[in-house]
Amino acid sequence: MSYTASAAFLEELQAAGIEQIFANLGHDYPPILEAYAEAEAAGRTLPRFVVSPHESVALSAAHGYTQVTGKPAAVFVHVDCGTENLGGAVHNASKGRIPVLIFAGGVPFTQEGELTGSRNEHIQYFQDTFHQSEIVRQYVRFEWELRTGVNIRQMTARALQFATSDPKGPVYLVGAREVMEEVVPRVELDRAAWQPVHPAALASDDVETIADALRTAHRPLIVTSYLGRNPDAVPKLVELAESLGIAVLESTPGQVNFPWTSPLHQGVQWSEQAENAALAEADVVLVLDSDVPWIPLVNRPAPTARILHVDVDPLKQDVPVFYIGAQLAARADAATALDQLNARVAASAPIDPEVRADRIAYWSERHDALLARLTAEAALPADGTMTPAFVLDQLRAHVDENTIIVNEGVSAYGLVGSHLRQSTPGGSFTQNGGSLGWNGGAAVGTKLAAPDKTVVAITGDGSFLFSVPSSVHWMARRYDTPFVQLVLDNGGWRSPKLSLEFTHPGGTAFQNAAELPITFEQPADYPAIAAAAGGAWGTTVTDATELAAALDEAFRVVRDERRCAVVAVRVQHL
């Protein structure tokens, strides 16, 4: 048994701390499979293979796993076709800053047996491409076609450095069969030499400028979206907000960034076509880890507001059009910056107690009014037609500190955040991107990462179908990752209608919305799909009086029977 590049590659993944390989393999993987089998026979520990029948589900599962653990995962796919089948999951991993290593085999580049691994199937001619990595180049932090096995451990370590250094994200390696079959010398790397780049800190002048601006403002506000990807940053934000009486607004939140239990919490905003009062009233706005702090066309700070921006990527280097008018923009890690700001505040003269009390009282009143509006919004309409707000309010009774929400509510994103009102860091995630169908695979990966937690995936009917549910529920049964899946079934795609309503409110298309190609007039039996693929329990709820019992049974099935439960709820038609 020779020591091959494939063996070195797998050993490097293990040494780098990768525990899971979400895999969809093809004819390019004989060297990997042989190396893996030899390692098992010899009793050597390697990362676990998790088989996924669809590549986009594999990457979504890796996405969910990494969000919970903070550790990179790996995804193995098949040449160009498997790479293409990753689809929008690559977009989500990129926008969500998910450190994942994607490895794709390459078509053999010899055809007469010149090297081990030479072509032996007709399909290898059809799948040959000039530049396979160009399929994902604009979405990854690093891409490389491995040219030899002698430095495969170094190149893998380098790729993972890119993946795990800010701004984090996916990386992509390609290895043809001949390269992966190459017999190579054993190499041991010094792990200390291949660590991610240390988090950046604020310059001392910026610390002073930001702290003083927050202290002297009349109505300071912090806007954040993904600060909570590091759960340790959340209490640091709470400390800063409470010490100075600063309000916090979550804009397009991808995680729990600030606890709803705090009276300083001013709610969440997504694409509401209305001005946010807290944002409009603020005279100093600190944007801290946010890709979309507001949408200027409909909602922006006052023209006189002073805007300060701290982010791991304040320029948004992968977004061509982005600017927020910040008078100060600094590249820094949020947790590190908050430590600096809290230290500066503690070392400075205390804020006037009356000023702090006035701020807290003002924002507390606004917080209480928000909760009252949400309570009214969750009431069941007189005609008994269930709304997403009503359904989510009912779900909240089952959500506790041991629950993780996987939120792909799409047009109901904001409703999920507002009506579940979670306060536990790491208790909720979205894909932080725009490609739908993430929720199912992410739920599987989340449960793998947190087997003792109750995982709830919230999706619309459209996103359920996007998610390749047959693969999702097959994986959930095979890998014992049961989760509750709540389908908000509004009969189609509501988001295009909302966009149409804003863009052409009096147009012909909106007046005839029932005839537009955005509805599912013959809805699928969503619970039955999950039952057929993975033995899930499920029910479709059409009567509000049946919802509570359905949710009770769903959570019982997941916890006691350890199988998935799908509750499809017919809400107001789009």
Side-chain angles (χ1 to χ4, degrees):
M1 293 186 292
S2 301
Y3 185 73
T4 65
S6 292
F9 178 51
L10 292 171
E11 287 181 6
E12 179 57 29
L13 296 181
Q14 173 71 20
I18 288 180
E19 300 171 346
Q20 310 286 344
I21 298 172
F22 298 89
N24 189 297
L25 308 181
H27 65 73
D28 40 351
Y29 278 88
I32 294 282
L33 293 171
E34 184 65 16
Y36 196 85
E38 289 179 0
E40 282 198 324
R44 297 194 299 273
T45 301
L46 291 178
R48 176 195 190 192
F49 271 89
V50 179
V51 175
S52 173
H54 196 281
E55 293 87 346
S56 68
V57 178
L59 184 48
S60 294
H63 188 146
Y65 178 87
T66 299
Q67 279 183 316
V68 175
T69 64
K71 301 176 182 178
V75 173
F76 283 11
V77 297
H78 174 52
V79 293
D80 65 325
C81 296
T83 302
E84 290 163 339
N85 240 14
L86 290 169
V90 177
H91 160 99
N92 289 336
S94 179
K95 301 304 180 182
R97 299 174 178 82
I98 300 301
V100 58
L101 184 144
I102 303 169
F103 174 78
V107 169
F109 50 79
T110 60
Q111 64 175 15
E112 297 183 34
E114 301 96 322
L115 296 169
T116 304
S118 198
R119 293 185 186 185
N120 63 338
E121 298 179 54
H122 76 282
I123 197 67
Q124 291 159 350
Y125 292 86
F126 299 146
Q127 293 174 333
D128 202 359
T129 59
F130 288 103
H131 303 290
Q132 183 174 305
S133 61
E134 287 189 357
I135 299 169
V136 297
R137 179 169 292 165
Q138 65 179 324
Y139 295 104
V140 297
R141 304 297 184 264
F142 176 83
E143 51 85 13
W144 183 248
E145 181 171 358
L146 299 165
R147 298 174 181 176
T148 175
V150 297
N151 66 349
I152 194 169
R153 292 197 68 158
Q154 292 93 328
M155 294 309 298
T156 302
R158 175 166 168 75
L160 285 168
Q161 274 191 308
F162 276 96
T164 55
S165 299
D166 285 326
K168 299 179 177 70
V171 295
Y172 183 79
L173 296 177
V174 179
R177 285 203 317 197
E178 293 94 334
V179 172
M180 302 309 292
E181 291 279 13
E182 184 181 350
V183 177
V184 299
R186 292 182 180 273
V187 174
E188 295 295 334
L189 301 185
D190 177 4
R191 303 248 58 88
W194 296 95
Q195 297 303 306
V197 174
H198 279 210
L202 290 171
S204 57
D205 288 350
D206 290 343
V207 174
E208 183 174 350
T209 298
I210 295 170
D212 289 351
L214 294 173
R215 176 190 300 278
T216 58
H218 178 57
R219 293 281 178 250
L221 176 71
I222 295 172
V223 179
T224 185
S225 300
Y226 57 86
L227 171 143
R229 68 192 175 125
N230 177 2
D232 293 338
V234 177
K236 300 176 192 293
L237 177 58
V238 172
E239 179 183 348
L240 179 64
E242 291 184 347
S243 64
L244 297 177
I246 306 170
V248 177
L249 173 66
E250 294 187 272
S251 181
T252 65
Q255 292 84 12
V256 174
N257 302 296
F258 194 73
W260 272 86
T261 50
S262 171
L264 295 170
H265 198 299
Q266 298 302 298
V268 302
Q269 65 176 18
W270 284 80
S271 295
E272 296 84 356
Q273 302 300 305
E275 186 176 68
N276 184 284
L279 186 62
E281 294 174 13
D283 57 336
V284 170
V285 180
L286 172 59
V287 178
L288 186 58
D289 272 1
S290 179
D291 290 326
V292 188
W294 51 80
I295 300 173
L297 183 60
V298 294
N299 178 35
R300 63 169 68 197
T304 56
R306 186 179 183 189
I307 300 169
L308 313 168
H309 189 191
V310 177
D311 200 290
V312 292
D313 179 19
L315 291 175
K316 309 302 174 188
Q317 296 172 106
D318 59 349
V319 181
V321 179
F322 177 89
Y323 46 89
I324 60 173
Q327 287 84 39
L328 182 154
R331 187 186 302 273
D333 168 70
T336 304
L338 285 167
D339 279 337
Q340 294 177 279
L341 291 170
N342 284 323
R344 169 69 182 178
V345 169
S348 303
I351 188 173
D352 186 328
E354 291 186 4
V355 171
R356 177 177 177 273
D358 173 73
R359 291 178 176 180
I360 293 176
Y362 182 82
W363 295 120
S364 296
E365 184 178 344
R366 301 293 295 270
H367 178 80
D368 292 342
L370 171 62
L371 294 181
R373 289 197 302 274
L374 293 175
T375 298
E377 183 180 65
L380 184 68
D383 63 2
T385 302
M386 289 179 284
T387 63
F390 169 79
V391 175
L392 294 166
D393 194 65
Q394 298 291 303
L395 176 65
R396 191 170 73 250
H398 295 273
V399 176
D400 55 23
E401 293 184 354
N402 201 47
T403 305
I404 299 178
I405 300 295
V406 175
N407 175 12
E408 196 170 31
V410 193
S411 59
Y413 273 136
L415 293 174
V416 174
S418 296
H419 288 280
L420 297 188
R421 299 196 281 278
Q422 288 175 284
S423 294
T424 304
S428 180
F429 298 97
T430 72
Q431 84 273 57
N432 285 114
S435 184
L436 304 185
W438 166 84
N439 74 95
V444 171
T446 297
K447 186 67 174 178
L448 275 175
D452 296 331
K453 300 284 188 178
T454 300
V455 177
V456 181
I458 300 174
T459 177
D461 46 339
S463 293
F464 179 92
L465 294 172
F466 273 129
S467 72
V468 198
S470 55
S471 290
V472 166
H473 286 279
W474 180 89
M475 289 180 69
R477 176 161 59 178
R478 173 163 178 173
Y479 295 104
D480 188 27
T481 55
F483 60 93
V484 176
Q485 191 166 34
L486 176 66
V487 183
L488 299 173
D489 179 4
N490 61 12
W493 295 313
R494 184 166 179 254
S495 292
K497 182 185 176 184
L498 291 174
S499 187
L500 175 66
E501 182 179 7
F502 174 72
T503 309
H504 299 286
T508 303
F510 184 72
Q511 297 301 320
N512 298 280
E515 300 175 11
L516 296 176
I518 57 174
T519 62
F520 304 153
E521 292 309 323
Q522 293 179 322
D525 188 340
Y526 307 112
I529 293 172
W537 174 90
T539 186
T540 297
V541 179
T542 58
D543 187 329
T545 63
E546 300 171 355
L547 179 59
L551 291 173
D552 287 344
E553 181 64 5
F555 279 83
R556 187 200 66 78
V557 165
V558 167
R559 289 167 177 159
D560 297 346
E561 300 182 15
R562 296 201 62 80
R563 57 185 179 127
C564 286
V566 178
V567 180
V569 184
R570 297 277 172 81
V571 296
Q572 285 178 334
H573 195 275
L574 64 91

